[in-house]
Amino acid sequence: MTTAEAADVTRGGRMLRRRPLLSPTRIDGIDLARGLAVVGMLAAHLLVIPDLVWTDPSTYGGVVHGRSSILFATLAGVSIGLISGGPVPLSGPRLATSRLRLLVRAGAIWIVGVILLLLAVPVYMILPAYAILFVLAAAFLPLRARTLLVVAGAVGVVAPFPQAAIDALPFWSTPEGVDLSNTFGWHYPFLTWIAFVLAGMGVARLDLRRTATAGAVAVAGAVLAMAGTAMDLVWGELEVFGQTPFTGEAHSSGLFEVIGSGGFALLVIGLCVIVCRTPLTWVALPVRAVGSMPLTAYAGHIVVWAITRPAPEPGTFELDVYRDLSPFWPMTLGIIVFCTVWALLVGRGPLEAGIDALARLVVRGGGEAASVDRGATFGTDKLER
């Protein structure tokens, strides 16, 4: 190789590091799934969509309720698994460095979440819950796929029952309870939701670059989604502690939601990876761009919402008033355009790059695997190989 050729290769490598969305080594389907989760979250926040009733096709838009946030949590687990070695978990000093950096990211994300809470936008903030889930996930980094998936299944089956008892406590109706719930994201309770993160980590320990693996994930997800839905239709109204821990209702953290919506998340991830093995990956590039910087997109929509909302009026519900302005399409298209331009011209999202830089500044040493994704964990963004 000549000096000029070597220089071209070096420049090309630097360009891909700055613009990971264009890298041929990236798992495009993970970005696509994250992008769809962002769009689903925007729809759930900004559109009036009825609850999903499978026998009524006019309500199918309600699929975004609950499932978008569970897809986020599962994808966060995928990224945590990738930054800790992918199919082969890190060990020794590299594992310790990766774990400490994950904890730094958790702290940074929690701070961002609290700052966004101060804007008082009328939605439940997911970032504080993410931070706690990252802290919990740090303990599971050395585990392999089978163990992670077994633990995820066990937690998903058991946790909804103590969750129902905790949710029934009168404390949550007090001002202190409301503040604690917001500060730690209890609307996305870590006791149950760690199951989604662990499931995502287990998927990351598989070889997602193989189409057969992605297909197996999609099939398993479809089976779980159908099973959860069927069980909810039959037994979804059973009560324990005055609550319904068996329910599949969105945001209930009930057993059938864990099974059905968790399966739905796996189905979407598997299908997105398969689709992005085809030329359709370039058609989906704008959505992938959003998925490459989910923290920036999420925080951006909250900030824009806070700036553009009308003054509160007595006797009105602020969320309904804002939805009446039809903000979904302007907000969604604006985020897609911004993320696409930024990804192509600059590279990593600003918040993702900033938090990643902070983690590397605070925790020195040879850290995460060289073949990972630092984009999906809300504050990370590295190549996936």
Side-chain angles (χ1 to χ4, degrees):
M1 180 182 294
T2 66
T3 302
E5 290 172 337
D8 288 340
V9 170
T10 300
R11 283 193 295 270
R14 289 173 179 169
M15 183 194 73
L16 291 179
R17 283 194 294 273
R18 290 195 300 267
R19 299 173 179 82
L21 189 68
L22 300 178
S23 172
T25 62
R26 193 173 181 91
I27 303 179
D28 295 343
I30 301 302
D31 284 330
L32 176 58
R34 285 198 298 267
L36 292 175
V38 171
V39 173
M41 173 268 299
L42 291 170
H45 286 177
L46 303 175
L47 292 174
V48 178
I49 302 175
D51 292 334
L52 177 63
V53 178
W54 289 109
T55 55
D56 183 0
S58 68
T59 68
Y60 283 1
V63 73
V64 300
H65 291 312
R67 292 172 181 80
S68 297
S69 50
I70 287 174
L71 179 56
F72 266 129
T74 308
L75 286 163
V78 172
S79 289
I80 291 170
L82 290 171
I83 68 173
S84 58
V88 182
L90 297 178
S91 58
R94 295 181 70 200
L95 173 61
T97 300
S98 181
R99 177 177 283 139
L100 290 173
R101 286 178 178 169
L102 182 60
L103 295 177
V104 172
R105 288 168 179 147
I109 289 168
W110 185 82
I111 291 172
V112 172
V114 170
I115 292 172
L116 294 178
L117 275 172
L118 297 177
L119 298 178
V121 169
V123 293
Y124 292 110
M125 193 65 58
I126 198 172
L127 297 187
Y130 259 64
I132 294 174
L133 290 171
F134 288 2
V135 172
L136 296 177
F140 297 90
L141 295 184
L143 301 184
R144 293 184 175 272
R146 179 179 297 179
T147 305
L148 285 165
L149 293 173
V150 168
V151 174
V155 172
V157 169
V158 172
F161 297 94
Q163 180 76 56
I166 295 171
D167 287 341
L169 296 174
F171 170 75
W172 300 111
S173 299
T174 67
E176 295 79 10
V178 172
D179 289 342
L180 186 66
S181 176
N182 289 332
T183 302
F184 293 98
W186 189 251
H187 192 66
Y188 310 96
F190 59 83
L191 179 63
T192 300
W193 279 54
I194 188 61
F196 305 128
V197 176
L198 294 176
M201 292 173 65
V203 168
R205 293 283 183 254
L206 305 173
D207 187 3
L208 275 177
R209 297 193 63 80
R210 295 180 63 245
T211 302
T213 301
V217 170
V219 169
V223 170
L224 289 171
M226 290 187 291
T229 300
M231 288 187 288
D232 182 50
L233 291 173
V234 177
W235 298 300
E237 299 303 319
L238 294 177
E239 291 191 3
V240 178
F241 302 115
Q243 301 289 310
T244 53
F246 295 97
T247 184
E249 184 180 351
H251 297 295
S252 67
S253 296
L255 175 62
F256 302 148
E257 184 190 27
V258 172
I259 295 173
S261 296
F264 179 83
L266 295 178
L267 172 62
V268 171
I269 291 170
L271 290 179
C272 285
V273 171
I274 292 171
V275 166
C276 287
R277 294 281 187 268
T278 74
L280 289 175
T281 188
W282 298 109
V283 177
L285 187 142
V287 181
R288 290 198 289 115
V290 174
S292 73
M293 52 187 81
L295 178 57
T296 295
Y298 183 89
H301 108 278
I302 295 293
V303 172
V304 171
W305 188 336
I307 293 172
T308 59
R309 64 185 174 187
E313 300 178 9
T316 62
F317 182 43
E318 184 179 347
L319 181 58
D320 290 338
V321 172
Y322 193 67
R323 284 173 171 171
D324 287 342
L325 300 178
S326 301
F328 173 73
W329 284 112
M331 183 93 73
T332 301
L333 293 176
I335 287 174
I336 290 174
V337 170
F338 171 84
C339 292
T340 302
V341 173
W342 187 281
L344 295 177
L345 298 183
V346 180
R348 289 183 287 171
L351 287 179
E352 285 76 9
I355 291 179
D356 182 60
L358 174 64
R360 291 175 178 276
L361 177 65
V362 173
V363 182
R364 303 285 186 172
E368 294 118 358
S371 56
V372 296
D373 163 38
R374 293 186 295 162
T377 58
F378 268 1
T380 56
D381 182 13
K382 193 174 182 179
L383 299 184
E384 296 164 343
R385 300 175 192 269

